[in-house]
Amino acid sequence: MDYELSHLRMLEAESIHITREVAAEFERPVLLFSGGKDSCVMLHVATKAFWPAKPPFPVMHVDTGHNFDEVIRFRDETVDRLGLRLVVASVQKSIDEGRAIEETGPRASRNRLQTVTLLDAIEEQRFDAVFGGARRDEEKARAKERVYSFRDEFGQWDPKNQRPELWSLYNGRHHKGEHMRVFPLSNWTELDIWQYIQQEDIPLPPIYYAHRRDVFRRDGMLLAVTPYVTLLEGEEPFEELVRFRTVGDASCTGAVESSADTIEAVINETAATRITERGATRADDRISEAGMEDRKKEGYF
């Protein structure tokens, strides 16, 4: 395969360029790192962008406290292996301080509470650019984002007031208190992500591959049995061979039935699917057609 013309190498080169531009243009950037596959690819690209030096910015995890144990272990192992500084922004702290009100009931989730925690961390740490791993094929509202997505002094996003990015030129101008969300993987697809993970041999949390887990069925989704969910009447747990296409709050992130226990099998499965990973496995994204867009306007990822 021609290195220069490879589709994945072109995507990688674009992402490296964006990452370096941010490092040169902004004073206090940070990379959001949850341990999910997209943030793993984004971190890998950042590592290549500055090799043999370390990325010149910290990584941050907005921690709901309702995580899969495998993902948190992987997050900490990755940060230690690469020698990075990890900033943990705690949703539980936001709740304790009265900055966020925890939902109650069997369908409660902390996923939406991350907005307040994220914006508080950005203000407290004075971050002026925040790398996110979102892709345009992931969800309809995300397709409206630019690579440099401007946020005002309140951390809010106006989809009708986005800056043009002709010829891949990015306008990072902002006033004090404002910041940019930067999406270096904007032009990648889920299949691109998996093929790049295979090509670069990027480690991932094991829950991305098929394994046996206790689950229950709710609203057409398979949710994991964890301490963070309450079973409703008629919901019965059972063991199933599953994997996760995306990683998030364990109370609302669904699994898919799958026997894909190798990266080759996952790639084949991804190539055949016609449903986005968030559309298939995120319960909180199903609240309305514009649910994600409304949250993004408030400052969500």
Side-chain angles (χ1 to χ4, degrees), residues 37-63:
K37 67 182 188 308
D38 299 306
S39 62
C40 286
V41 167
M42 185 170 59
L43 180 57
H44 182 80
V45 167
T47 301
K48 294 188 76 170
F50 303 103
W51 184 263
K54 294 185 294 188
F57 39 73
V59 298
M60 178 166 69
H61 180 209
V62 181
D63 181 7

Side-chain angles (χ1 to χ4, degrees), residues 123-152:
E123 182 178 9
E124 179 182 338
Q125 299 283 337
R126 294 181 291 113
F127 294 132
D128 55 359
V130 181
F131 288 104
R135 308 183 320 271
R136 286 175 178 156
D137 73 325
E138 194 177 349
E139 199 275 339
K140 288 181 291 186
R142 297 191 187 278
K144 296 183 179 182
E145 295 273 20
R146 298 291 194 267
V147 173
Y148 274 33
S149 185
F150 174 74
R151 298 300 198 268
D152 65 19

Side-chain angles (χ1 to χ4, degrees), residues 54-55 57-59 76-86:
K54 294 185 294 188
F57 39 73
V59 298
D76 294 340
E77 290 168 358
T78 300
V79 169
D80 290 343
R81 174 170 54 85
L82 297 177
L84 303 174
R85 180 168 77 90
L86 172 65

